[in-house]
Coordinates of all heavy atoms in Angstrom, one line a residue:
Q380 N 0.0 12.5 17.2 CA -0.4 13.9 16.7 C 0.6 14.5 15.8 O 0.2 15.1 14.8 CB -0.6 14.8 17.9 CG -1.8 14.2 18.8 CD -2.1 15.1 20.0 OE1 -1.8 16.3 20.0 NE2 -2.8 14.6 21.0
P381 N 2.0 14.5 16.0 CA 2.9 15.0 15.0 C 2.7 14.4 13.6 O 2.8 15.1 12.6 CB 4.3 14.7 15.6 CG 4.0 14.7 17.1 CD 2.7 14.0 17.2
L382 N 2.5 13.0 13.6 CA 2.3 12.3 12.4 C 1.0 12.8 11.7 O 1.0 13.1 10.5 CB 2.2 10.9 12.5 CG 2.0 10.0 11.3 CD1 3.1 10.2 10.3 CD2 1.8 8.5 11.7
L383 N -0.1 13.0 12.5 CA -1.3 13.5 11.9 C -1.2 14.8 11.4 O -1.7 15.2 10.3 CB -2.4 13.5 13.0 CG -3.8 14.0 12.6 CD1 -4.4 13.2 11.5 CD2 -4.7 14.0 13.8
L384 N -0.4 15.7 12.0 CA -0.2 17.1 11.5 C 0.6 17.1 10.2 O 0.2 17.9 9.3 CB 0.6 17.9 12.6 CG 0.9 19.4 12.2 CD1 -0.4 20.2 12.0 CD2 1.8 20.0 13.3
L385 N 1.5 16.2 10.1 CA 2.3 16.1 8.8 C 1.4 15.6 7.7 O 1.4 16.1 6.6 CB 3.5 15.2 9.0 CG 4.7 15.7 9.8 CD1 5.7 14.6 10.1 CD2 5.3 16.9 9.1
L386 N 0.6 14.6 8.0 CA -0.4 14.1 7.0 C -1.3 15.2 6.5 O -1.6 15.3 5.3 CB -1.1 12.9 7.6 CG -0.4 11.6 7.8 CD1 -1.2 10.6 8.5 CD2 0.1 11.0 6.4
L387 N -1.9 15.9 7.5 CA -2.8 16.9 7.1 C -2.2 18.1 6.3 O -2.8 18.6 5.3 CB -3.5 17.5 8.3 CG -4.5 16.6 9.1 CD1 -5.0 17.2 10.4 CD2 -5.6 16.2 8.2
T388 N -1.0 18.4 6.6 CA -0.2 19.5 6.0 C 0.1 19.0 4.5 O -0.2 19.8 3.5 CB 1.1 19.8 6.6 OG1 0.9 20.2 8.0 CG2 1.9 20.8 5.9
L389 N 0.5 17.8 4.3 CA 0.8 17.3 3.0 C -0.5 17.2 2.2 O -0.5 17.5 1.0 CB 1.4 15.9 3.1 CG 2.9 15.8 3.5 CD1 3.4 14.4 3.7 CD2 3.8 16.5 2.5
S390 N -1.6 16.8 2.9 CA -2.8 16.7 2.2 C -3.3 18.1 1.7 O -3.8 18.2 0.6 CB -3.9 16.1 3.1 OG -3.6 14.7 3.5
M391 N -3.2 19.1 2.5 CA -3.6 20.4 2.1 C -2.8 20.9 1.0 O -3.3 21.5 0.0 CB -3.5 21.4 3.3 CG -4.4 21.1 4.5 SD -6.2 21.0 3.9 CE -6.5 19.3 4.1
L392 N -1.5 20.7 1.0 CA -0.6 21.0 -0.2 C -1.1 20.3 -1.4 O -1.2 20.9 -2.5 CB 0.8 20.7 0.2 CG 1.5 21.6 1.2 CD1 2.9 21.1 1.5 CD2 1.6 23.0 0.8

Side-chain angles (χ1 to χ4, degrees):
Q380 295 183 23
L382 177 61
L383 177 61
L384 180 61
L385 286 172
L386 286 173
L387 291 176
T388 301
L389 288 173
S390 297
M391 293 306 107
L392 290 172

